Amino acid sequence: MTSTDSAQTPAKAPAKDPWDLPDVSGLVVGVLGGTGPQGKGLAYRLARAGQKVIIGSRVTERAQAAAEELGYGVEGADNAETARRSDIVIVAVPWDGHGKTLESLREELAGKLVVDCVNPLGFDKQGAYALKPEEGSAAQQAATLLPESRVTAAFHHLSAVLLQDPDIEEIDTDVMVLGEARADVEIVQALAGRIPGMRGIFAGRLRGAHQVESLVANLISVNRRYKAHAGLRVTDV
């Protein structure tokens, strides 16, 4: 290569800092299934961190009662209104109602950033075990049912007990975030980072969601053996 060729070669742009995440403090977060343990815990933590939160339920009165209990400006509404009014919608409904709930909200969730945190699990005498949906995972089922939404997966490995405990200031855990669009993943990472002690970690595309969802079965076994509320930390990141 001549000196002239070298001078004409454009300089390579520096790699983007993976911790350079967007400001999500002004976004409204809706939680479908916000009256259940995990949904309620996430709503509480995000609202306590200053996020505007609406919790949804099939029954408006249940959502409103739960919102009043949580405080921090949380509002309650039915699932459809929650989806319409929110910028980001966290799906925390029971697995057995996952498909029907999302199918019924396809119109309201169009264009929204959807964060699926549902874990398809079965239980027998030996404990919890992972189920594999036809689509591959709960998140992939959501993406199939919501073709006009931006579906990500996150918040699977959090203890509802710790999330709802007002005496705990920080949640010492990482959140594995999966999605197809890096910009959407970074928004969810930033949202996780709003909760003290928590980090959002990019963990790949949606096709890897089954492994992440399934790991909850192992954490349930850990918790039962050690009487704990185990989470995850990713090392060397």
Side-chain angles (χ1 to χ4, degrees):
M1 179 182 292
T2 68
S3 59
T4 303
D5 292 334
S6 177
Q8 292 175 347
T9 303
K12 191 174 182 180
K16 182 179 183 296
D17 181 354
W19 298 112
D20 180 15
L21 301 174
D23 178 9
V24 297
S25 60
L27 299 180
V28 178
V29 178
V31 184
L32 305 182
T35 60
Q38 177 134 358
K40 196 173 181 180
L42 278 169
Y44 171 67
R45 286 292 159 180
L46 289 169
R48 182 169 160 171
Q51 208 76 34
K52 175 59 185 174
V53 177
I54 306 170
I55 58 175
S57 173
R58 287 176 298 174
V59 181
T60 302
E61 290 74 20
R62 281 188 64 196
Q64 291 174 339
E68 186 175 347
E69 180 184 342
L70 291 178
Y72 292 99
V74 176
E75 293 185 47
D78 64 32
N79 283 331
E81 182 181 346
T82 298
R84 280 193 298 268
R85 293 178 56 196
S86 301
D87 302 303
I88 304 173
V89 180
I90 297 174
V91 181
V93 299
W95 166 240
D96 58 7
H98 182 264
K100 288 184 177 179
T101 299
L102 296 184
E103 196 169 18
S104 70
L105 297 170
R106 182 176 295 167
E107 182 178 341
E108 290 83 359
L109 290 170
K112 306 287 184 176
L113 176 53
V114 174
V115 187
D116 201 299
C117 69
V118 175
N119 304 303
L121 298 176
F123 295 86
D124 59 19
K125 291 182 180 179
Q126 297 183 56
Y129 60 94
L131 304 174
K132 189 160 188 179
E134 182 180 344
E135 298 85 353
S137 64
Q140 288 169 296
Q141 183 183 88
T144 299
L145 293 172
L146 305 172
E148 296 182 36
S149 302
R150 296 139 53 207
V151 176
T152 61
F155 299 117
H156 301 89
H157 307 135
L158 307 180
S159 163
V161 173
L162 298 184
L163 288 173
Q164 294 184 79
D165 189 337
D167 293 328
I168 293 177
E169 296 292 331
E170 297 189 359
I171 304 295
D172 182 25
T173 193
D174 287 331
V175 172
M176 301 181 78
V177 185
L178 303 95
E180 297 304 312
R182 184 64 61 90
D184 292 338
V185 169
E186 289 180 349
I187 289 172
V188 181
Q189 287 181 261
L191 186 66
R194 295 274 289 159
I195 300 174
M198 197 176 289
R199 292 189 309 174
I201 301 288
F202 170 68
R205 294 180 177 269
L206 281 187
R207 68 180 183 181
H210 174 64
Q211 297 95 291
V212 174
E213 295 169 3
S214 300
L215 190 57
V216 174
N218 303 88
L219 289 177
I220 290 173
S221 296
V222 170
N223 290 336
R224 286 181 173 174
R225 174 62 62 90
Y226 298 102
K227 309 300 181 188
H229 301 292
L232 293 179
R233 276 294 189 198
V234 180
T235 62
D236 198 32
V237 175

